[in-house]
Amino acid sequence: MNYVVRGASVNRAALIAARLTARQLRLRQQRRHVARQTGNHPAPFKGRGLSFQQLRAYQGGDEIRHIDWRVTARTTKPHTRVFEEERERPIVICLDQRRPMAFGSRHCFKSVMACHAAALLAWNGLDSNDRVGGLIFSDDRHNEFRPKRSSRAVLHLLNSACEYSERLLQAPAADKQPLSSALEELRRITRPGSSVFILSDFHDYDDQAHKQLLLLSRHNDIVALGINDPLELRLPLQGALPLSDGQQRSVINIDQRLQQHYRDHIAQAQQALQQQLRQLGVVLLPLSTDDDLLEILSREIRLT
């Protein structure tokens, strides 16, 4: 089933209908962290869960009811069964809806692609019986959503995403919130053991943002979806190219030298971002506005 996103604005009904498509995603946890509440995901410590982990010699403090009497009788030494306890994995989605995301040259705006990706991840998390929450931020404000296990919570998150996306089509905000500030807020609301998905173009990823992401990655699994547009990666054919920000208009003359310089600059910037995130153990998934969203998420995100 294809999932190609289209348009400069978000359709609420489409984000709600994405729940059916989200059931086709098979996302698994990348690393294992400790969370406080029981759930459907194996934790890295031993406990009273349903999944058998190993059989070992009895140690002081082990529960008598876990002694394997058959092995004990055969070896004449007490042995106990150890189980891997299941723990909950909250899903936290960080959605960038700042002015640079209101751009697209093919099927849709980057902001719209980000909203649909957030919808698929949120519905998939809820269907996996995980709590889902997140942070949506623009140039001048943000909304935070504490992870909850309910359809109403996901609908509230997606409705807010639509509102933020619609505001991008209006007059630009006077303030400009850096990515580092949003990541600081994200770190404040994210509890250890969460799976965090950051949806942004990362155009202003700097040392401060790297610092916040470092602190966040110490106790959480992070997947960064770097959303871009084909026109951002490579300039069009040579000639005069009209440009506009919605208020002013200008023309830029493109030649072969400028094209090559631009390609080199973008390639270096992407490579640097990938290396910085790799240092933190963060998975970077490039996502273009002309991609099949379902195919990319299903193929590339391997949370093992």
Side-chain angles (χ1 to χ4, degrees):
M1 180 179 178
N2 296 330
Y3 195 98
V4 179
V5 182
R6 300 184 184 278
S9 61
V10 179
N11 184 289
R12 285 176 171 80
L15 296 188
I16 297 174
R19 183 169 193 174
L20 296 177
T21 306
R23 291 170 181 169
Q24 301 180 46
L25 288 175
R26 295 294 181 266
L27 308 182
R28 296 169 294 166
Q29 196 171 9
Q30 182 184 16
R31 293 195 305 274
R32 292 179 175 181
H33 292 290
V34 177
R36 298 183 181 180
Q37 298 182 355
T38 58
N40 294 328
H41 303 279
F45 50 89
K46 310 302 179 287
R48 297 171 56 184
L50 300 178
S51 177
F52 174 75
Q53 177 67 15
Q54 64 176 331
L55 185 69
R56 60 167 170 77
Y58 179 84
Q59 298 177 0
D62 288 344
E63 293 191 37
I64 297 178
R65 67 189 185 92
H66 287 160
I67 292 179
D68 190 312
W69 296 107
R70 291 185 178 181
V71 176
T72 298
R74 187 172 64 251
T75 62
T76 69
K77 294 182 180 180
H79 282 72
T80 184
R81 289 178 175 269
V82 180
F83 296 88
E84 186 178 50
E85 190 171 8
E86 293 183 338
R87 284 291 184 260
E88 183 187 48
R89 183 193 66 186
I91 303 296
V92 181
I93 299 170
C94 181
L95 179 60
D96 186 349
Q97 292 290 287
R98 293 176 297 169
R99 194 66 182 177
M101 295 290 287
F103 178 80
S105 64
R106 298 292 178 88
H107 300 314
C108 66
F109 275 11
K110 294 186 293 182
S111 58
V112 178
M113 175 65 81
C115 288
H116 279 266
L120 289 178
L121 294 170
W123 288 126
N124 180 265
L126 184 64
D127 289 341
S128 299
N129 202 34
D130 293 320
R131 291 185 298 138
V132 179
L135 177 78
I136 304 176
F137 64 101
S138 64
D139 288 300
D140 57 351
R141 64 172 183 165
H142 72 272
N143 277 13
E144 58 186 57
F145 305 86
R146 297 288 178 176
K148 296 181 180 179
R149 189 184 295 106
S150 71
S151 298
R152 179 174 296 182
V154 173
L155 290 173
H156 186 38
L157 172 69
L158 298 182
N159 183 68
S160 182
C162 290
E163 293 178 353
Y164 272 73
S165 181
E166 291 170 355
R167 291 181 72 243
L168 284 177
L169 302 180
Q170 304 171 6
D175 300 327
K176 292 185 178 181
Q177 179 176 201
L179 179 62
S180 57
S181 296
L183 293 179
E184 185 176 4
E185 292 293 334
L186 179 66
R187 186 168 61 87
R188 182 177 60 82
I189 68 171
T190 302
R191 302 181 67 177
S194 299
S195 286
V196 181
F197 295 90
I198 304 175
L199 286 67
S200 175
D201 59 6
F202 294 92
H203 73 275
D204 58 340
Y205 187 85
D206 55 13
D207 291 341
Q208 290 300 317
H210 188 78
K211 177 182 178 181
Q212 295 300 325
L213 201 57
L214 169 63
L215 297 173
L216 187 65
S217 65
R218 288 178 176 175
H219 305 288
N220 303 281
D221 299 328
I222 303 177
V223 175
L225 281 79
I227 303 176
N228 56 65
D229 184 84
L231 188 58
E232 294 178 318
L233 304 181
R234 183 172 182 174
L235 293 177
L237 299 177
Q238 301 179 25
L241 177 68
L243 300 176
S244 175
D245 60 359
Q247 296 180 332
Q248 299 179 349
R249 186 176 184 276
S250 62
V251 177
I252 181 173
N253 292 315
I254 302 176
D255 56 23
Q256 187 175 1
R257 181 179 179 182
L258 179 59
Q259 284 182 330
Q260 185 61 47
H261 177 75
Y262 184 84
R263 282 198 300 268
D264 293 343
H265 173 75
I266 293 298
Q268 292 174 4
Q270 288 187 322
Q271 185 177 11
L273 175 62
Q274 191 170 30
Q275 290 177 347
Q276 288 178 301
L277 296 184
R278 187 184 297 117
Q279 293 174 358
L280 306 180
V282 175
V283 176
L284 176 61
L285 171 59
L287 182 61
S288 177
T289 54
D290 60 352
D291 278 335
D292 182 331
L293 180 56
L294 181 62
E295 193 272 336
I296 294 295
L297 293 182
S298 299
R299 184 189 67 198
E300 297 294 346
I301 297 184
R302 293 291 182 266
L303 306 182
T304 55

